[in-house]
Amino acid sequence: MFFYGSIKYSNISVGVVCFSLAGFFTAIFSPFVNRRKLVVSELLLSLLTLAGIALIFSFDSRYRAGIALGVISSMLGALYTITNERLAHVHESETVTVYSMIGGALGLTVLMPVYVYFFPVKSMIPSWSDFGYLVVLALFCTVLLYMLQTQALNRISAFTVNLSLNLEPVYTIILAILIYHENKELTSTFYLGLGLIILSVVLQMTKVFTESRRAVRDLVS
């Protein structure tokens, strides 16, 4: 809800970039939730992402409400992934996904009357084309995605999963530019901030691959 609210109050590019803060919140929350030591490298990479968000935050005051909603969205997303990391080692990914989707559906159903009260709409029945898009969004972009994410958490950490999602702004912004021509609304400061976010992802992926090779080398030796 906060993620789509962020897009509505800003635009697609700003909304997905704000979601990149999930890595930062994961580095902060995970040591407390999982009762482990704070990993300095994770915190430094997250601060790099935070610097990118700070640059983007300052580029246009019109989008600050959307950015605030996006930050809340990334915080909740980080907590969701951290929780799933613990559940993935105990339950099957299909089981975790079913309960997550049922909980989300019930929660949205309860909140729907409140939303309609403050934001009345002419009709709540989607058109056939909208219904088709909703089916694709529900099955492929939500259920399948979360199931694969839960399976991935058996092998990699919640921090790596969330930081890898920082690549989402790259292809999303490309699509937003091609479809909605959002490049007319974005400045050089925005792209500089985006560059810092991409750099943090590249550094983390390099760290993960290096550690994997070292583990394989130690196993062989």
Side-chain angles (χ1 to χ4, degrees):
M1 288 178 61
F2 281 100
F3 175 68
Y4 288 113
S6 174
I7 293 175
K8 278 187 170 292
Y9 277 91
S10 55
N11 57 36
I12 298 171
S13 301
V14 173
V16 295
V17 167
C18 288
F19 197 73
S20 301
L21 271 177
F24 170 75
F25 287 118
T26 302
I28 299 298
F29 294 151
S30 185
F32 295 100
V33 175
N34 296 323
R35 297 179 181 179
R36 63 175 179 83
K37 293 182 178 180
L38 184 68
V39 181
V40 178
S41 60
E42 291 183 358
L43 184 60
L44 291 176
L45 288 172
S46 299
L47 289 175
L48 191 61
T49 302
L50 186 62
I53 294 292
L55 282 173
I56 293 170
F57 186 89
S58 62
F59 91 94
D60 198 327
S61 60
R62 292 178 299 167
Y63 300 139
R64 288 184 178 175
I67 290 172
L69 292 173
V71 170
I72 296 174
S73 170
S74 63
M75 180 177 65
L76 296 175
L79 289 172
Y80 177 83
T81 307
I82 293 170
T83 304
N84 273 5
E85 182 182 17
R86 301 180 67 178
L87 294 175
H89 297 291
V90 182
H91 304 286
E92 295 291 333
S93 59
E94 293 83 358
T95 303
V96 175
T97 303
V98 166
Y99 279 98
S100 297
M101 295 300 107
I102 291 176
L106 291 176
L108 290 174
T109 301
V110 171
L111 291 172
M112 181 61 72
V114 179
Y115 177 84
V116 174
Y117 177 79
F118 288 103
F119 305 97
V121 293
K122 294 182 180 179
S123 175
M124 295 184 62
I125 301 176
S127 63
W128 284 110
S129 61
D130 288 340
F131 182 78
Y133 286 127
L134 287 171
V135 170
V136 173
L137 177 66
L139 295 180
F140 296 100
C141 303
T142 304
V143 175
L144 180 61
L145 173 65
Y146 283 126
M147 190 178 299
L148 293 174
Q149 184 186 77
T150 305
Q151 291 176 355
L153 287 169
N154 277 315
R155 297 180 178 273
I156 58 180
S157 68
F159 176 79
T160 300
V161 169
N162 278 332
L163 197 64
S164 64
L165 291 178
N166 289 356
L167 287 174
E168 182 178 335
V170 179
Y171 54 80
T172 304
I173 289 173
I174 291 174
L175 290 174
I177 290 174
L178 294 176
I179 299 173
Y180 298 104
H181 307 290
E182 286 192 358
N183 55 306
K184 298 177 181 178
E185 305 174 22
L186 307 178
T187 65
S188 57
T189 307
F190 178 91
Y191 291 110
L192 179 59
L194 179 63
L196 291 178
I197 294 171
I198 295 174
L199 177 61
S200 69
V201 175
V202 172
L203 292 176
Q204 172 63 7
M205 292 301 102
T206 303
K207 177 175 175 288
V208 170
F209 288 136
T210 302
E211 291 176 349
S212 299
R213 289 182 179 179
R214 188 181 301 139
V216 171
R217 195 183 304 115
D218 294 340
L219 185 63
V220 172
S221 60

